[in-house]
Each structure stands twice: as structure tokens, then as C-alpha cells.
């Protein structure tokens, strides 16, 4: 979602000014709640770009370990209590202790908890199958991903101020993409979209490459680990805790992917040249 505004454009060190139309990415709050066993609990308020809110809420619940698959949902989470409120309704028995749910949210890189505790918190709730996708990915395919992402970023092309997360197959073909002012929201929307169209009792994306339009933070690698994504690429830099998390979960993590260059921080054995 975008918004048109009139701005004063200043050029040539202030020698030229003009009133012109500009396009901004919209940022609004979304209150996410979950309803289970007759109890409704507010879980989070996030600043997001409106649109795909059902996917965002679903992806958030999955990456926080509250749901395992779309089978845990009583119905698609598209019934909003208000313009910026949404409730995800779980099937009876899907979550028995909402107080425990509220206590078990992960720590993030901004909360001051040490990296070891953060990674252990993910491992306690990560329920993906304990197996590794050992298929190799061609580095030449990896190099093509940034241009494909940029070409598909409709909102970024009009605003220049939005993050994107995209899934590709191992041949470098774009599968799906989501944008948002929040990088974590973009990834939750992407994972939520894939989960809502999936079938089965478990959900994981073991045959996908994730591309992030910015840096690779711990929080984003945490979400990728929950979804079982084996390869994560970022246009920007990873944090130290992001690298530690990728190593712990056997994720191939590639950063500074642009202009035919890249740094492989973990899982280099999965890459072929």
C-alpha cells in the first residue's frame, strides 16, 4: 500500500526547488491476537504496511512456535475486529496454555539476552524434521537472485523505502515475494502465505532459498530456521548472532550478495561453483 504526498524537492545545493508528487510506503499498526479454547489473547502490535494481514498473522504465529501447520487454524485469519486488528482462531486443543504461550516468545538481538540463550530458546520450540537438505545450490544461480528480486519489487520501485523477502527454488526461479516496511513482517507474510496454501500436519520449506533485501539479523535467521529454510541470502551484512544461529541449524548463510560478489558465512559445503 502506498500514499501520494506533495513534497518540496531540493536540488543543486538548494538552487532549485519545486513542489512535486512523491509516493510513500504506508506504515500502520496491526494488533495480532489469538483465540483458543474460548480465550482470546493479544500477542503483539507491529508496525506494518497494510495488506496480506492474514498471512502476516499466520506467519508470526508459526515463527513464534504457536502453530505447527495450517491444520492448527480453525479458519483462515482474515476476520478483523477492526481496520488494524486481527484475530487468529485456533482449533480446539491447538493451544492449551495461553499463559505459557505469552511467556515463551523468543528473545531478539535488541533485548540484551545472550546469544546462547537466544539460540536455545529457538531449539526448544523448533519442530521441523531433524533432517538436512543436502542438495547443492549453484553459485551462478545465487548471483541472479538480487536482480530478479528488484525487478519484482513493485512497492520498492515506487517508494524506495520498503523491505522484501523472497523465496526461490534451487534453480533460481522466483516462487513468491512479500514487501513491508518491517523486514521481519515481510518474512512473516512470506512464510504465512506458504503455510496457508500448504497441506499436511507439518510445514517446512526445505527446498527453498530465502533472499532478504537488507541485512540478515538474528530475528530473520530465527524465522528461517523455524520454517526449515536451508539457504538464506542477504543483500546486506549478517550479525554475529545471525551467523551463530545459521551454523547451529545447518543453514547456508550468504551476505553482501550484489554485483557478482558474496560472502559465505556458514554452510559453504552446500554451494557449488
Amino acid at each position: 500500500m502506498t500514499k501520494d504526498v506533495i513534497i518540496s524537492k531540493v536540488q543543486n545545493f538548494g538552487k532549485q526547488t519545486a513542489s512535486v508528487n512523491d509516493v510513500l510506503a504506508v506504515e500502520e499498526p496491526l494488533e495480532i491476537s489469538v483465540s483458543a479454547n474460548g480465550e482470546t489473547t493479544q500477542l503483539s502490535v507491529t508496525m506494518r504496511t497494510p495488506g496480506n494481514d492474514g498471512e502476516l498473522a499466520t506467519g508470526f504465529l508459526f515463527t513464534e512456535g504457536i502453530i505447527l501447520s495450517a491444520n492448527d487454524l480453525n479458519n483462515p485469519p482474515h476476520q478483523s475486529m477492526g481496520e488494524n486488528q486481527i484475530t487468529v482462531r485456533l482449533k480446539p486443543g491447538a493451544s492449551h496454555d495461553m499463559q505459557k504461550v505469552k511467556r515463551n516468545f523468543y528473545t531478539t538481538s535488541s533485548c540484551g539476552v545472550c546469544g546462547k540463550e537466544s539460540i536455545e530458546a529457538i531449539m526448544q520450540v523448533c519442530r521441523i524434521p531433524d533432517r538436512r537438505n543436502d542438495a547443492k545450490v549453484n553459485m551462478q544461480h545465487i548471483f541472479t537472485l538480487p536482480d530478479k528480486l528488484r525487478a519484482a519489487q513493485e512497492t520498492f520501485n515506487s517508494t524506495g523505502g520498503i523491505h522484501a523477502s523472497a523465496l526461490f527454488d534451487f534453480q533460481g526461479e522466483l516462487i513468491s515475494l512479500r514487501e513491508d516496511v518491517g523486514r521481519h513482517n515481510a518474512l512473516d507474510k512470506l512464510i504465512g502465505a506458504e503455510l496457508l496454501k500448504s497441506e499436511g500436519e507439518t510445514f517446512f520449506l526445505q527446498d527453498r532459498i530465502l533472499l532478504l533485501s537488507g541485512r540478515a539479523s538474528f530475528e530473520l535467521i530465527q524465522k528461517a530456521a523455524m520454517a526449515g529454510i536451508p539457504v538464506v541470502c542477504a543483500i546486506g551484512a549478517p550479525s554475529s548472532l545471525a551467523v551463530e544461529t545459521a551454523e547451529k541449524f545447518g543453514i547456508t548463510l550468504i551476505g553482501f550478495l550484489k554485483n557478482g560478489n558474496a560472502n559465505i558465512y556458514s554452510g559453504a559445503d552446500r554451494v557449488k561453483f
Side-chain angles (χ1 to χ4, degrees), residues 29-73:
L30 177 68
E31 178 185 301
I32 300 173
S33 299
V34 61
S35 177
N37 302 324
E39 179 184 0
T40 298
T41 303
Q42 180 185 327
L43 295 181
S44 175
V45 176
T46 185
M47 299 302 296
R48 96 302 187 195
T49 301
N52 307 110
D53 288 341
E55 297 173 355
L56 171 56
T58 300
F60 175 78
L61 263 65
F62 176 81
T63 58
E64 292 291 349
I66 298 171
I67 62 173
L68 177 61
S69 72
N71 291 340
D72 290 333
L73 304 176

Side-chain angles (χ1 to χ4, degrees), residues 91-162:
K91 289 180 179 178
S95 179
H96 299 286
D97 186 351
M98 293 309 298
Q99 291 301 317
K100 182 178 180 181
V101 166
K102 287 186 285 186
R103 289 193 301 268
N104 280 356
F105 281 157
Y106 307 140
T107 55
T108 68
S109 57
S110 62
C111 74
V113 178
C114 79
K116 183 174 182 290
E117 290 176 346
S118 299
I119 295 172
E120 287 178 350
I122 306 171
M123 297 186 72
Q124 288 174 6
V125 294
C126 189
R127 294 168 290 183
I128 61 173
D130 185 20
R131 63 185 183 216
R132 170 186 165 101
N133 181 359
D134 290 320
K136 301 288 186 179
V137 59
N138 193 310
M139 195 66 207
Q140 295 307 313
H141 290 157
I142 295 289
F143 284 136
T144 69
L145 304 188
D147 287 342
K148 292 175 180 177
L149 174 65
R150 183 62 181 272
Q153 278 190 266
E154 295 181 1
T155 307
F156 180 87
N157 290 334
S158 60
T159 67
I162 202 160

